Amino acid sequence: MGLLLLLTCSLLSSCSVVHAQRKFTIRSVELFIEPHVNVTRGTNVTVRCRALVSSLDQEPLSREYVIYKDNKNVYTKTSITPEDLLYPLPHARVANTGNYRCGITIEGKRIKSEDKKLTVTGLSKPVLRLNNTEVTEGDEVTAKCEAPGETGSIFFSFYEGSKVITESGVNGNQLEAQLPLSSTGTHTLHCTYVVFIMQDLFKSEESDAVHVTVREFTSTPVLEIYPLSDVYEGDRLNLLCTIRNPLLDSKSGYLYLSQGMTMLTAGVSAVNYTVVAKSHVPAEFECRFEMGRIEKVTTKQIAVTELFSVPKLTISPAEVFQGDNITLTCRSEIYVPGRINNRDLIYSLSSFREGFTKMSPGVFSGRTLPYEFNYTCAAQARGVLKESQILTVLPKVSVSAPEISVLGLPVVGRTFQILCHSAVGSLPISYTLLKNGVPLKPFRVTLPWQKATFPVSISSPQEINSYRCQAKNRNEVEQHSNSLNATVIVPLTKPTLFTHPNLTQTYLYEGNELLLICEVTGSPPVTYQWYRGGRRLTSASNLSSVGYHFQRLSKEDGGSYHCEAGNEASVVRSEALTVEVYTAIWKQALIVGACVLLPAALVLGCVLYFKSKRAGLDGAVVSVWTERPPDAGDDDVSNVVPPDPDVEYTEVVHPHSMDPARVPLRKGTDTVYSELKNAPHGAADHHDYGSLEYAGLNGEQPEVGHCSPEVNGYHDLPEPVD
C-alpha cells in the first residue's frame, strides 16, 4: 500500500513538473553582428543573440545559449536572465570569417536563429627571419615565415625573386623551412601566406532535384473578446482562446493568451481571462498555439475610449519664493459625461501631502519648502486611477542686501567701474545705481557669471560717498546697500619748484646750504625724482622727506634742476630752475689781497734797495730820536709833534758818508722827531709825513716848517710801524 502511494505521488509530481515546464513560449531568436557584417582586420566584433520569451510563471527560466560558426559549436552559456547573449570577437581576423547562428534551449524546447555571415578582410604583413645572412655554397638557410596575429589554417610560400622555393600549410601562424641555395651571389628571398576559408574557396555543383509536398495544419487558434467595441476605461474584457478544427494529435499542443508582451494565461485546449480596459495599456491581444515545430497565432486589437483625461497639476502663483503661500490645483480637463460626472472624480496629492490643506475638490493650499521638490496628483473614478506628470517646484531665494565696491582704483576725473553684488538671491536680479538717492542706470543679471558694473566718474573725492546700490528679484521688494566708501586717488598738479634760501633775494656761495623743495597737490603717497641737466640724481645722502638738500655747495653743484612727482594716478614734471654758485668770499679777498700786496711788496723792495745803495755812498748815519722835550717857545716844532698818546717814536738811523763840511742843523735841543701814528686795526694806514722835519746833511739850511720836495713826495720816508 505504501509503495502504491509513493508511486502515485511520484507520478503526480512528474505531471506537475511537466505542466510547469510548458507554461512559456519562445517567440523568436535573432542573431546580430556588430558593428557590421563586413569589417576590416583588427575591429572588435560582437555576436549578439537575442531571444524573446513569454512565461506565465514568475520564476526565471534557465536558458541554454549556443553560438555556431559554420555549423560548429564555438560557444555555450547558460543564463536565467532575459538579457542578450554576447559573444565577443576582439581584434577580428580573417579566420573569424564564416556563417554564425545562435540557438536557445529552455526545458527541452530548442529554437535556432537564421544564419548571418561575417566577412573580415585584411591580413597582416608577413615577417621573414633567417638564421644566417652569409653562408657557404651548398649550405642551407633556415627561414621562418610568420603571420603576426593570424589564426586558422594558413598556407606559406617561400620565394627567391619570383620563383617559389617551397610551400607548406600549417594550423598556426608561422612555418620554418630549410632553403637550399645552389648558386653563388646575392639571393633575394621573401615569403607570403594564404588563410584558407572553406566557404570562400570551394563551391559544389547542384544536386538532383527532389520534390517535397507540405500540407497546411488545419487546427487554428481562435480569439474571442467581449465586448469588442464601444469599450471605455474601466470596462471588463472577457478573453477566450480556443482551437478550431482540432486534429486527433492536436491535444499535444499548447495555447498561450497574451496582452502585448505580457502573458496572461496558458492552457491545453481552451483558456480564458478577464482584464480591465485601460487607455494607456496596449489593447492588442494574442492567442498562440504551439505543437512541436508548428506555431499558429491569432491577434485582435480593440479601441479603448478614455473615461477621463490625465490630470494636470498647476501652481499659483507661477513665481514663488521660499516660504510663500502657494495653491496646487489638480484637474482632469476631459471626461465622458454619459459615464461619469465631475463629482465622481476624486483628486489627491500623490506626494508630500503634509502641510497642505484641501480647500475644494482638486485644490490644495500650503507653503513652499526651502528647497526643490516634486509634486504629483492623482484622479480616480470607476476603478481607474491616473497620475499627473511631475511638477517640479524650485522656490526662488529673495535677494540679499547688495554690496557696493569699486573695480580698480577710482581716480578723480577718470571713468571707473562700480560693482553691485548680492551674495544670495535667485536670478534674474535687477540692480540699479543710485546717486544721492536718484536712480541712474539699471543692470539686469540673468547668468551666474554676469556682474552688475556701472561706469562713472567723479570730480571730487567726497562725491564717491553719494553712490548706493539697489537690488531686487521680485516685485515691490527692494534691498539697498550702504554708501560707497573707497579711497579716491587725486591726480597730482604740476609741481612748483622753490628753494630755501630764496634765490631771488640772495646769492649762493661755495659752502652755503641749499634746500630744493618740490611742491605738488594730490593723493599720497607721492614719490619724487630729481634731475640736473636731464640726468637723474641718485645720491641718497642728499634726499630728504621735503626735497633735495645741499649741506655745503660747491661750484660743481650749479646747473639746471627740475623734479618729477608721481602717485598711483599720474606723473608730473616741474619747470627747470637754474642754480648758480659763486666763489667763496674769503677766496675772493685772498685773490684781491694777492693782487694788491704783490705790487706793494715789489715797490718796497725797490725802495729799500735804492736806500741801501745811497747809504753805502754817503757813509753817514742820521739818527732820529724817539724822545724830544717840547719847546714852549717854538711854535713850529709844537705843530710838528703834537701831544698824542697813540704816537710812537722810532729811531731811524740813516748811514751817510761823513762830510766834515756839513753840520746838522739844530734848533733848541736840535733833535728831530719822527711821528708815526698807529692806525686803528683793520683800517687803512694814513701817515702824515708832511709834519716831519729832516736835517739836511748837505749844509743847506731849510726853513723850519717847510719840507723838501723829496719829503713832500714821500721819498725816503721811514716805513710806518704798526
Side-chain angles (χ1 to χ4, degrees):
M1 186 67 178
L3 181 61
L4 181 61
L5 290 175
L6 180 60
L7 181 61
T8 303
C9 291
S10 300
L11 291 174
L12 290 176
S13 299
S14 300
C15 293
S16 176
V17 170
V18 171
H19 181 73
Q21 290 177 347
R22 298 181 63 85
K23 292 183 180 180
F24 69 91
T25 178
I26 303 175
R27 296 179 174 274
S28 63
V29 178
E30 292 183 273
L31 182 136
F32 304 92
I33 296 178
E34 300 171 352
H36 201 267
V37 294
N38 296 312
V39 297
T40 58
R41 173 184 174 272
T43 304
N44 292 326
V45 178
T46 300
V47 178
R48 182 185 298 272
C49 182
R50 178 176 298 169
L52 297 180
V53 180
S54 296
S55 175
L56 183 63
D57 301 325
Q58 299 298 325
E59 294 182 1
L61 298 172
S62 178
R63 310 177 183 201
E64 182 181 357
Y65 292 93
V66 179
I67 301 296
Y68 300 89
K69 176 180 180 289
D70 299 330
N71 294 324
K72 293 182 179 180
N73 185 342
V74 295
Y75 184 70
T76 302
K77 183 179 180 180
T78 302
S79 174
I80 61 173
T81 65
E83 297 178 355
D84 297 346
L85 173 69
L86 302 181
Y87 175 51
L89 298 174
H91 306 291
R93 297 291 187 266
V94 173
N96 297 126
T97 299
N99 293 321
Y100 289 84
R101 179 192 304 168
C102 75
I104 184 174
T105 302
I106 301 177
E107 297 182 1
K109 182 182 293 185
R110 178 181 300 173
I111 295 181
K112 294 182 180 180
S113 69
E114 296 182 354
D115 288 358
K116 284 193 177 181
K117 183 178 181 180
L118 170 65
T119 301
V120 182
T121 58
L123 295 172
S124 62
K125 185 177 181 179
V127 178
L128 178 62
R129 304 181 188 276
L130 304 178
N131 69 330
N132 201 342
T133 57
E134 185 175 351
V135 296
T136 305
E137 185 178 4
D139 291 344
E140 291 184 346
V141 175
T142 302
K144 180 187 291 185
C145 188
E146 298 176 357
E150 302 298 337
T151 59
S153 179
I154 303 177
F155 190 82
F156 291 91
S157 300
F158 294 87
Y159 295 84
E160 180 182 359
S162 58
K163 180 182 177 181
V164 177
I165 301 176
T166 183
E167 294 178 325
S168 181
V170 295
N171 191 19
N173 64 348
Q174 63 182 8
L175 175 67
E176 185 172 305
Q178 301 295 323
L179 305 180
L181 303 175
S182 58
S183 62
T184 61
T186 302
H187 298 264
T188 302
L189 306 178
H190 69 276
C191 70
T192 62
Y193 67 91
V194 175
V195 179
F196 282 93
I197 306 299
M198 184 178 297
Q199 294 85 344
D200 294 336
L201 296 178
F202 301 97
K203 183 178 180 180
S204 66
E205 60 181 359
E206 295 181 359
S207 65
D208 295 337
V210 177
H211 301 284
V212 178
T213 302
V214 179
R215 295 184 301 173
E216 182 181 2
F217 187 74
T218 58
S219 297
T220 58
V222 177
L223 177 61
E224 297 179 9
I225 303 176
Y226 179 82
L228 190 59
S229 61
D230 197 20
V231 178
Y232 289 87
E233 286 181 317
D235 291 349
R236 291 187 171 274
L237 299 177
N238 295 318
L239 310 176
L240 178 61
C241 179
T242 58
I243 291 292
R244 177 181 297 173
N245 300 325
L247 298 177
L248 294 179
D249 58 353
S250 64
K251 293 183 180 180
S252 60
Y254 217 81
L255 291 171
Y256 301 94
L257 181 60
S258 304
Q259 182 179 6
M261 292 296 299
T262 304
M263 181 178 292
L264 301 178
T265 185
V268 178
S269 58
V271 292
N272 56 43
Y273 198 81
T274 301
V275 297
V276 177
K278 297 179 181 179
S279 61
H280 63 281
V281 177
E284 181 177 348
F285 300 94
E286 175 189 274
C287 179
R288 174 185 294 264
F289 175 75
E290 294 181 2
M291 186 180 68
R293 296 181 176 272
I294 299 174
E295 289 186 359
K296 294 290 184 177
V297 178
T298 299
T299 61
K300 283 187 178 181
Q301 188 171 359
I302 62 175
V304 179
T305 304
E306 193 175 43
L307 188 63
F308 58 91
S309 61
V310 175
K312 184 178 181 181
L313 184 61
T314 59
I315 185 173
S316 178
E319 184 180 71
V320 295
F321 287 78
Q322 293 177 348
D324 284 357
N325 292 321
I326 60 172
T327 300
L328 298 177
T329 303
C330 185
R331 283 284 184 271
S332 291
E333 302 296 336
I334 301 173
Y335 60 91
V336 180
R339 295 274 182 157
I340 60 172
N341 54 44
N342 193 24
R343 291 174 296 179
D344 294 332
L345 289 171
I346 300 174
Y347 299 101
S348 62
L349 286 178
S350 302
S351 60
F352 200 77
R353 290 171 291 184
E354 297 180 0
F356 282 85
T357 303
K358 185 176 182 179
M359 308 302 295
S360 61
V363 180
F364 307 89
S365 177
R367 285 183 176 273
T368 58
L369 298 174
Y371 49 85
E372 178 181 343
F373 203 84
N374 296 326
Y375 296 91
T376 57
C377 74
Q380 185 176 3
R382 295 188 59 183
V384 178
L385 179 67
K386 295 183 179 182
E387 288 191 347
S388 68
Q389 293 184 351
I390 295 175
L391 174 66
T392 301
V393 177
L394 179 59
K396 293 186 175 182
V397 180
S398 299
V399 69
S400 61
E403 296 179 357
I404 186 170
S405 60
V406 295
L407 298 178
L409 290 176
V411 180
V412 172
R414 299 182 189 175
T415 301
F416 61 93
Q417 300 285 335
I418 293 181
L419 172 65
C420 294
H421 174 70
S422 293
V424 178
S426 299
L427 299 176
I429 301 175
S430 296
Y431 293 95
T432 304
L433 183 65
L434 308 177
K435 183 177 182 181
N436 294 322
V438 179
L440 294 181
K441 302 175 183 178
F443 194 101
R444 184 178 175 86
V445 175
T446 58
L447 299 174
W449 56 84
Q450 277 186 308
K451 294 183 178 181
T453 57
F454 304 91
V456 297
S457 62
I458 57 177
S459 57
S460 66
Q462 296 76 17
E463 188 178 345
I464 200 167
N465 301 123
S466 63
Y467 290 98
R468 289 197 305 160
C469 281
Q470 172 185 291
K472 66 176 182 178
N473 62 350
R474 60 188 303 179
N475 296 332
E476 301 179 358
V477 179
E478 299 174 350
Q479 298 287 346
H480 292 84
S481 70
N482 297 325
S483 296
L484 178 58
N485 185 13
T487 302
V488 179
I489 305 300
V490 179
L492 298 178
T493 59
K494 186 173 182 179
T496 301
L497 186 60
F498 60 94
T499 64
H500 180 77
N502 193 342
L503 296 184
T504 61
Q505 300 176 0
T506 185
Y507 293 99
L508 296 176
Y509 295 94
E510 291 179 304
N512 288 160
E513 184 178 4
L514 176 63
L515 179 62
L516 299 177
I517 301 175
C518 188
E519 185 178 65
V520 294
T521 302
S523 296
V526 180
T527 57
Y528 297 92
Q529 299 291 342
W530 291 91
Y531 297 85
R532 183 179 70 182
R535 297 185 63 182
R536 180 179 173 185
L537 299 176
T538 59
S539 176
S541 61
N542 290 17
L543 294 175
S544 67
S545 60
V546 294
Y548 199 78
H549 186 208
F550 297 91
Q551 293 183 352
R552 294 183 60 86
L553 286 169
S554 65
K555 292 286 288 184
E556 290 77 10
D557 293 328
S560 177
Y561 289 83
H562 74 271
C563 70
E564 282 186 357
N567 65 358
E568 293 180 294
S570 61
V571 176
V572 291
R573 177 177 177 174
S574 70
E575 297 291 343
L577 175 67
T578 301
V579 175
E580 186 174 358
V581 182
Y582 295 94
T583 305
I585 296 176
W586 67 272
K587 289 184 180 181
Q588 296 181 18
L590 182 61
I591 294 172
V592 172
C595 294
V596 173
L597 293 178
L598 184 58
L602 292 175
V603 171
L604 180 59
C606 292
V607 171
L608 294 176
Y609 176 76
F610 285 112
K611 283 185 178 182
S612 63
K613 288 292 185 179
R614 183 176 178 182
L617 294 175
D618 294 341
V621 177
V622 178
S623 296
V624 181
W625 302 97
T626 61
E627 180 179 0
R628 178 184 179 184
D631 189 354
D634 194 346
D635 294 334
D636 293 334
V637 177
S638 64
N639 290 331
V640 175
V641 185
D644 192 340
D646 295 329
V647 176
E648 295 181 359
Y649 297 92
T650 306
E651 179 181 354
V652 180
V653 180
H654 299 279
H656 296 281
S657 61
M658 298 301 295
D659 188 358
R662 299 177 67 93
V663 178
L665 177 62
R666 297 176 184 274
K667 187 177 181 180
T669 60
D670 293 333
T671 303
V672 180
Y673 294 90
S674 177
E675 176 184 337
L676 297 102
K677 188 175 182 180
N678 290 333
H681 182 70
D685 295 337
H686 303 283
H687 303 281
D688 189 3
Y689 296 100
S691 61
L692 302 179
E693 292 184 359
Y694 292 87
L697 303 179
N698 57 4
E700 296 181 359
Q701 297 283 338
E703 295 181 0
V704 177
H706 295 275
C707 298
S708 68
E710 292 180 355
V711 175
N712 291 333
Y714 294 90
H715 292 291
D716 221 13
L717 296 179
E719 289 294 323
V721 179
D722 292 336

